[in-house]
Amino acid sequence: MSLVLVSTPRFGQHTTPPGHPERPERADVFDAVADAWRERRGSVVEPRPASFDEIRRVHTARHVAAIEATRGRAAMLDMDTFTSPETADLALLAAGGAMTALERVLDGGAATALALVRPPGHHAEGDRAMGFCFYNNVAVAAAAALARGLSRVAIVDWDVHHGNGTQHTFEHDARVLYVSAHESPLYPGTGAADEIGEGEGRGFTLNIPLEGGATDGDYQLVFDDIIVPVLDRFGPELVLVSAGFDAHRSDPLAHMRLTSAGFGRVARSIAAVAGRHAGGRVVAVTEGGYELSALGASLDAVIRVLAGDRAWLDELTVAAPTGRGARAADRARAAQSAEWPGL
Ligand SMILES: [Zn+2]
């Protein structure tokens, strides 16, 4: 099975103030991961910038103008979201990286693609930057897939933070199933189990808030018991992934206990869903992940899985569930019972 990585060293040029966790060194990890994939004769392609038309499917013209106005200078857009002179260009390139990955999978013969991008995207709302994010990269790719005529697109967001921007973009839209497993309580504070979508989109937002301390076993339980069953009923034509790695046990921003193999296991569950419904098509886009060695090792695990190498996970012992996963799955099941009967 073919996997394409989307990567460019340019993502290191988006700089943030000293001590900021979303720092340029994260791009060095992406570059090392891409180099290792090239050495294995894997395919690595450069991202293209997103067009303003593509961005405006998700963001208001006023928001785009606000980001463009930071071109060439440093600006603070919220308490923890800062531009540097190159940021306006690189935000377009990050969203375009998601587009390049999408195009490789829809048109380019790749089964799976992983865009190694920063700045991240899933907190960016239609009308504002937020939480280190400027444009919502995965939402731009999902909107493009809809514009091309797809009518069932799943977005699975395993970043430890809730993807408020992605949820809000599609919560009225039954064509996009947004699924998030995230720590709660934690930034940004959204993503309660009873946020299940609005109007025609009711049932097409699935939130799994988890208490801090959840293990690989808890995540596996949540995927097996609720995420995969809902995805199977939805029957996606394409699966997008907001691939954050800040639920890793070493990450400084949260309190989860996932290992790098744990990310491999959730990727395997998603790839299996894609295999059953979507011709195996998975487009993953990076989000958070702030401990550099954990970020690299977790990306390696996901790359192995997306490239079709999955049996190695069976050799590893899975950390026992703690009850956090079961409680979270029960809450989500209760909230969704009217929309997905018999779950
Ligand atoms: Zn995050």
Side-chain angles (χ1 to χ4, degrees), residues 122-123 159-161 246 287-290:
H122 72 154
H123 295 307
D159 188 280
V160 79
H161 303 97
D246 38 13
E287 300 283 0
Y290 303 100

